[in-house]
Amino acid sequence: DVKVTQSSRYLVKRTGEKVFLECVQDMDHENMFWYRQDPGLGLRLIYFSYDVKMKEKGDIPEGYSVSREKKERFSLILESASTNQTSMYLCASSLSGTGGQETQYFGPGTRLLVL
Amino acid sequence: DAKTTQPPSMDCAEGRAANLPCNHSTISGNEYVYWYRQIHSQGPQYIIHGLKNNETNEMASLIITEDRKSSTLILPHATLRDTAVYYCIVRDTIMGSGYALNFGKGTSLLVTP
């Protein structure tokens, strides 16, 4: 079974703090994704990575950065946390390819509260 | 990706089959139908996907109509743990690896004792 783990289930941070969210997958997937999920807005893609050290902006990258130094690990960084970044953060991973191979598998999520 | 339409909510008695419909009338030939579900406060869970043929796995069956304009996810013997929001997603895999999934609003399935 694919396993995607996230470093924390719940986090409480203060405005202005630097926040690190980590995601690890154990299936040797090339692609990794960070989404945020907010009520009424669905899932929105923040960043994705298709290889080590490679990254692409998603729909809402402002205020975030990412790091992928190893294939299995993808980190999301909030450079200076703000209250509007309070959200559920979801990491996903997938193989590269076509023909339905690119199924994305999700981690359990991190619920971040910024005070 | 083609747009999908799902009923906002459904009920199902425990032990009965849950049949969740999805309309995707503008689907194109390259687009797969994916189903995920999300139990409250957890990450989305992949269930099944298909292109043209019906598919079955240990979790569910996916029935796709011949014209591919609609599909039905079947949970053969629903349990209370199947209570979740179910999302039908149509995705063009030719678009490449970095394509975000559009989860939409989904169907909230309530399984009752």
Side-chain angles (χ1 to χ4, degrees), chain A residues 13-26:
Chain A
K13 296 292 181 182
R14 298 219 172 264
T15 302
E17 279 193 77
K18 192 167 185 176
V19 181
F20 293 86
L21 303 181
E22 290 221 315
C23 175
V24 177
Q25 50 94 5
D26 67 355

Side-chain angles (χ1 to χ4, degrees), chain B residues 45-62:
Chain B
Q45 179 186 21
Y46 164 75
I47 301 173
I48 199 167
H49 73 279
L51 182 63
K52 296 179 187 176
N53 299 323
N54 298 338
E55 302 287 345
T56 296
N57 63 21
E58 64 278 4
M59 287 183 69
S61 295
L62 174 61

Side-chain angles (χ1 to χ4, degrees), chain A residues 9 31 35 37 99 102 104, chain B residues 32 36 38 41 91 97 101:
Chain A
R9 289 301 310 274
N31 305 318
Y35 293 85
Q37 184 175 30
E102 297 177 10
Q104 292 185 26
Chain B
Y32 280 74
Y36 284 80
Q38 189 170 23
S41 294
R91 181 160 180 261
S97 302
L101 293 174

Side-chain angles (χ1 to χ4, degrees), chain B residues 4-9 20 35 85-88 103-109:
Chain B
T4 61
T5 304
Q6 298 177 253
S9 63
L20 293 95
W35 282 84
V85 179
Y86 287 76
Y87 297 96
C88 169
F103 273 66
K105 296 192 188 306
T107 296
S108 179
L109 175 68

Side-chain angles (χ1 to χ4, degrees), chain B:
Chain B
D1 293 339
K3 185 177 175 178
T4 61
T5 304
Q6 298 177 253
S9 63
M10 293 182 65
D11 292 345
C12 178
E14 190 177 19
R16 305 298 291 265
N19 297 283
L20 293 95
C22 180
N23 183 286
H24 31 79
S25 57
T26 60
I27 193 169
S28 66
N30 300 321
E31 290 180 316
Y32 280 74
V33 179
Y34 283 80
W35 282 84
Y36 284 80
R37 72 181 182 184
Q38 189 170 23
I39 296 168
H40 183 62
S41 294
Q42 297 184 23
Q45 179 186 21
Y46 164 75
I47 301 173
I48 199 167
H49 73 279
L51 182 63
K52 296 179 187 176
N53 299 323
N54 298 338
E55 302 287 345
T56 296
N57 63 21
E58 64 278 4
M59 287 183 69
S61 295
L62 174 61
I63 309 298
I64 302 174
T65 57
E66 194 169 340
D67 63 7
R68 301 186 70 238
K69 292 183 185 300
S70 66
S71 61
T72 301
L73 178 75
I74 301 172
L75 308 178
H77 304 288
T79 70
L80 299 179
R81 286 178 293 181
D82 292 323
T83 292
V85 179
Y86 287 76
Y87 297 96
C88 169
I89 301 162
V90 170
R91 181 160 180 261
D92 183 351
T93 61
I94 292 180
M95 293 298 291
S97 302
Y99 211 70
L101 293 174
N102 180 6
F103 273 66
K105 296 192 188 306
T107 296
S108 179
L109 175 68
L110 175 64
V111 180
T112 56

